[in-house]
Amino acid sequence: MIRVMLADDEAMVRAGVRAILGTDDEIEVVAEAADGVEAVEAVRRHRPDVAVLDIRMPRMDGLAAGAEIRRTVPDTAVVILTTFSEDAYIARALGDGASGFLLKSGDPRELIAGLKAVADGAAYLSPKVAQRVIAELSAGSGGGAMARAAAAKEQVAVLTPRELEVLGLVGAGLSNAEIAGRLYLVEGTVKAYVSAVLLRLGVKNRVQAAIVAYEAGLVTG
């Protein structure tokens, strides 16, 4: 069972998300919050597997709440629920350790799939959000996309061939179990490879690793 905490200052939105998640027997909403302060307190109290946070909330916004949750309750994954008007904030959330980005306007099945992926240790970005994240990070670098690509290739040069293979599959959005099946490895071995890759790249989570994989040209299709 995947235990979820929902945080949004609009009760109707929370009710809608809860209703969507209620259609899946593997997901249970264990707590709700109307602002960031309540969200952090709820996570500390209930220790859910995933915290779903809106960005714009009173007292403490979702970005600050997500950063605090990752700092104080690292076993809880953070998913940001966003809209296109908020995509300028995505890079900040990414830097603070968020594992997923979902659109309120997206397909309900995407919400369920995203939470399951994140709970399974994978990163999950809605396809449109993924494009914007990569574009935002590339545009934000001093030398542009080409400079970031060169830097990423230099960054991944420290990895072994197998680690590069694992990183490419992380970039493609595969979970540990899916990578294990693809590479004919046991899941524990994949977890060890992923941990080693994150450490050697100096990144905080799989989302950041996926960005490096994209920029280094390790993700195809």
Side-chain angles (χ1 to χ4, degrees), residues 11-183:
M12 288 283 284
V13 172
R14 294 200 309 274
V17 173
R18 177 187 279 271
I20 292 170
L21 298 183
T23 64
D24 193 291
D25 294 337
E26 297 178 6
I27 299 176
E28 177 187 10
V29 177
V30 297
E32 293 186 20
D35 61 52
V37 173
E38 288 183 7
V40 174
E41 293 173 350
V43 168
R44 288 173 176 166
R45 186 181 315 117
H46 296 278
R47 304 279 166 163
D49 300 302
V50 183
V52 180
L53 308 173
D54 183 28
I55 290 183
R56 299 181 186 275
M57 294 188 292
R59 291 210 291 172
M60 179 188 291
D61 65 30
L63 299 176
E68 182 66 11
I69 289 168
R70 293 299 300 151
R71 187 182 69 83
T72 59
V73 192
D75 288 340
T76 295
V78 169
V79 170
I80 299 295
L81 198 60
T82 185
T83 67
F84 281 146
S85 63
E86 295 161 340
D87 66 296
Y89 301 105
I90 290 176
R92 175 181 156 194
L94 177 64
D96 287 334
S99 296
F101 298 91
L102 295 163
L103 296 177
K104 289 183 178 179
S105 58
D107 190 315
R109 291 171 297 183
E110 187 177 89
L111 174 61
I112 292 174
L115 293 192
K116 287 186 174 182
V118 168
D120 191 37
Y124 190 93
L125 287 77
S126 297
K128 292 180 180 177
V129 174
Q131 294 170 9
R132 287 173 174 263
V133 169
I134 295 168
E136 177 74 17
L137 292 179
S138 297
S141 63
M146 290 182 65
R148 287 195 65 83
K153 289 177 181 177
E154 182 177 349
Q155 193 174 2
V156 303
V158 301
L159 303 181
T160 66
R162 178 61 94 181
E163 288 171 342
L164 286 170
E165 199 171 12
V166 170
L167 176 59
L169 295 175
V170 168
L174 275 64
S175 67
N176 287 344
E178 290 169 331
I179 295 173
R182 184 75 63 88
L183 300 181

